[in-house]
Amino acid sequence: MTKAEEKQTKVVGKIEPQKVDRLGNNQEWTFVDENGFEWKYTFQFPGVMKAYEMLDNARMANGQIAKSILYNEYLQNIVVSEKLELDDMNDRPGLEELFDAMDLFLGERIS
């Protein structure tokens, strides 16, 4: 065996690309209200394309984000435990906390 052949047969280890599982691992999130009632939500990543579409859809002409549009998109595309729209949140506590949790969840999956 020549030195070139020996070198070719010595494969130390093939480097594999890093794999990211953005779509797996739903997240459970709970808000506990003043009475101790637990409002439970299940978050699911909607996919990279949909995540960016939600952000694009909420951007106004001046570059600012329209929270009403973004939060409605979040409720419809991230919360999978039940079908919700922004108007459904009129009688639910923990609104800001829920949106902060969804924003964090989405940001972690995109990065």
Side-chain angles (χ1 to χ4, degrees):
M1 190 179 271
T2 67
K3 287 184 181 182
E5 290 172 334
E6 284 179 27
K7 192 174 183 180
Q8 287 178 355
T9 59
K10 290 183 182 180
V11 177
V12 177
K14 187 176 179 184
I15 297 175
E16 295 290 328
Q18 179 184 3
K19 294 188 181 192
V20 178
D21 183 14
R22 289 186 172 94
L23 297 175
N25 304 321
N26 289 357
Q27 178 180 324
E28 302 296 325
W29 186 81
T30 303
F31 177 79
V32 180
D33 67 21
E34 292 177 3
N35 294 332
F37 184 82
E38 295 182 347
W39 297 84
K40 297 182 181 201
Y41 302 90
T42 303
F43 299 162
Q44 181 178 8
F45 185 67
V48 174
M49 180 70 153
K50 187 62 181 176
Y52 283 116
E53 282 179 356
M54 288 188 300
L55 295 170
D56 290 344
N57 291 343
R59 192 165 313 278
M60 297 182 290
N62 64 4
Q64 298 293 314
I65 296 290
K67 288 184 178 182
S68 62
I69 295 170
L70 182 64
Y71 291 166
N72 202 47
E73 292 267 355
Y74 277 7
L75 289 170
Q76 292 176 1
N77 296 292
I78 295 175
V79 175
V80 294
S81 50
E82 60 184 303
K83 290 293 179 194
L84 293 171
E85 292 189 7
L86 201 52
D87 281 340
D88 297 323
M89 304 308 290
N90 286 330
D91 59 355
R92 290 182 182 224
L95 187 62
E96 286 300 318
E97 293 86 350
L98 173 62
F99 293 132
D100 287 346
M102 286 190 289
D103 199 44
L104 181 62
F105 173 80
L106 188 63
E108 288 173 346
R109 296 304 189 284
I110 289 177
S111 63

